Amino acid sequence: MKYDVAIIGAGPGGLSAAVYAARGGLKTVVFEKGVVGGQIVLTAEVENYPGFAESLSGFELIDKMKKQVEKFKAEIKEEEVKAIGLEGLCKIIETSSGTYRAKSVILATGAHPRKLNVPGEEKYTGRGVSYCATCDGALYRDKIVAVVGGGDSAVEEAMFLTRFAKKVYLIHRRDQLRAVKILQERAFKNNKIEIIWDTVIQGIDGGEQLEKLHLYNRKTEEFKTLKIDGLFVYVGIIPNNELIESRIDLNEHGFIITDEEMHTNIPGIYAAGDIVDKPLRQVVTAAGEGATAAFSAEKWIQEHIDKF
């Protein structure tokens, strides 16, 4: 079957692209190998997406986006894309269920946070464990939280969380932070931040919500328990680039490089959302990039219509 636009990934970027592409009259298909919505469905409360005075869960927000996609007759197929090939300007998409052809492709495969892989992490994800302070920080006003990590992101987010939390522990496995010096100096001067050096998290515990961490000091070999309300994990983010890492231009961290129209280095292939090289990974930025990618794809198809 042939489509005008094939979108790979049904997170906020992919769903936004589908709305704009289908509404623009393009025959559109979205492929998703996992759960429609991506990482945002794990977020208990979304407070910073424009248009909603009351917070709603990530699942509720994605459900509204999905219904909007269906309203404009874009197809959503629960199939894993195995490979993308080129036949002239046409794109050949091989999935777990068959082969499809499309004039253009929008890559919205996302990224995933590097996890601690300790007992309790999976259980309390969305119930005290978060991978996005910008998303969830406001939920911890006047509470005690911890950030794990020692790089720029960990230190920046620890300082961000001091706007809301009354206490922020920064847990780092070494005796020195890896963040740039100016960030370190700001953290050291912030009286809401307490750094716990040489320490790793061995377990996450609680009842319905996270309540405490089990810590191990690598230098003193001591164990201790830390009572907190929330844990923010910043030990790295991994782009879902397995599908395209050999042919699409990526930055040094593996994220897709695009121009301002969300075009990659391959004609007719665009990218949007967390897979893209950018400073801010949020639902609202993904949605904007998805819209831009769909608009650009439509324009590109019209410019090359006689070559398909």
Side-chain angles (χ1 to χ4, degrees):
M1 187 173 293
K2 191 169 185 178
Y3 294 89
D4 293 313
V5 180
I7 299 164
I8 303 173
L15 294 177
S16 174
V19 168
Y20 273 77
R23 187 172 180 270
L26 301 180
K27 186 173 177 59
T28 304
V29 62
V30 183
F31 296 104
E32 174 55 61
K33 68 176 181 179
V35 177
V36 172
Q39 293 184 72
I40 191 63
V41 297
L42 299 176
T43 301
E45 291 186 67
V46 179
E47 294 183 315
N48 57 354
Y49 191 77
F52 297 94
E54 301 296 327
S55 63
L56 69 170
S57 70
F59 177 84
E60 289 171 324
L61 179 59
I62 288 300
D63 186 57
K64 292 178 183 294
M65 289 184 174
K66 183 172 180 283
K67 287 176 179 175
Q68 195 173 17
V69 168
E70 293 168 342
K71 171 186 174 183
F72 291 114
K73 308 302 182 185
E75 298 177 44
I76 297 179
K77 294 183 178 291
E78 296 179 0
E79 301 177 23
E80 180 178 1
V81 175
K82 300 289 190 177
I84 302 172
L86 300 175
E87 189 177 281
L89 290 183
C90 191
K91 319 302 184 282
I92 311 301
I93 299 109
E94 301 282 347
T95 79
S96 54
S97 299
T99 301
Y100 302 85
R101 299 166 66 87
K103 297 173 184 174
S104 64
V105 167
I106 297 174
L107 299 166
T109 51
H112 60 279
R114 191 182 302 278
K115 297 191 175 183
L116 299 173
N117 293 317
V118 299
E121 182 176 16
E122 184 175 347
K123 176 181 178 180
Y124 290 104
T125 295
R127 293 193 290 164
V129 175
S130 174
Y131 303 88
C132 180
T134 310
C135 307
D136 300 328
L139 304 175
Y140 294 90
R141 194 175 299 277
D142 298 324
K143 295 186 177 182
I144 299 172
V145 301
V147 174
V148 58
D152 289 354
S153 294
V155 176
E156 286 175 338
E157 300 309 318
M159 290 190 294
F160 173 80
L161 287 165
T162 61
R163 302 181 190 180
F164 311 102
K166 64 181 178 182
K167 178 79 172 181
V168 178
Y169 291 101
L170 181 58
I171 302 169
H172 187 43
R173 62 185 295 115
R174 299 183 177 86
D175 59 2
Q176 291 183 350
L177 298 174
R178 292 179 289 107
V180 296
K181 191 171 182 60
I182 189 169
L183 290 177
Q184 293 190 39
E185 291 173 350
R186 290 173 182 170
F188 295 150
K189 291 177 182 178
N190 194 312
N191 59 16
K192 281 190 174 184
I193 295 177
E194 179 179 336
I195 302 177
I196 302 177
W197 302 106
D198 304 304
T199 297
V200 294
I201 297 173
Q202 292 206 315
I204 300 168
D205 212 345
E208 287 298 312
Q209 295 286 322
L210 178 153
E211 295 174 1
K212 57 188 175 182
L213 304 177
H214 299 294
L215 306 179
Y216 173 69
N217 188 296
R218 301 166 70 222
K219 186 171 288 186
T220 65
E221 299 185 348
E222 293 178 334
F223 296 90
K224 79 171 187 177
T225 298
L226 181 68
K227 292 185 176 181
I228 59 168
D229 301 298
L231 173 66
F232 293 83
V233 180
Y234 283 94
V235 292
I237 183 168
I238 304 170
N240 300 328
N241 64 10
E242 300 85 358
L243 193 64
I244 42 83
E245 59 183 335
S246 64
R247 60 178 66 188
I248 302 286
D249 285 348
L250 308 175
N251 71 6
E252 65 272 26
H253 302 296
F255 294 94
I256 297 175
I257 298 170
T258 68
D259 62 17
E260 62 183 8
E261 294 184 335
M262 310 313 298
H263 215 156
T264 71
N265 60 296
I266 297 182
I269 297 185
Y270 300 81
D274 284 0
I275 188 64
V276 173
D277 176 22
K278 59 179 180 177
L280 182 63
R281 291 180 169 83
Q282 291 283 283
V283 178
V284 69
T285 58
E289 291 152 7
T292 300
F295 174 79
S296 301
E298 180 182 3
K299 184 173 67 171
W300 182 84
I301 289 170
Q302 291 303 316
E303 290 172 352
H304 299 84
I305 195 69
D306 59 338
K307 297 179 182 178
F308 293 107

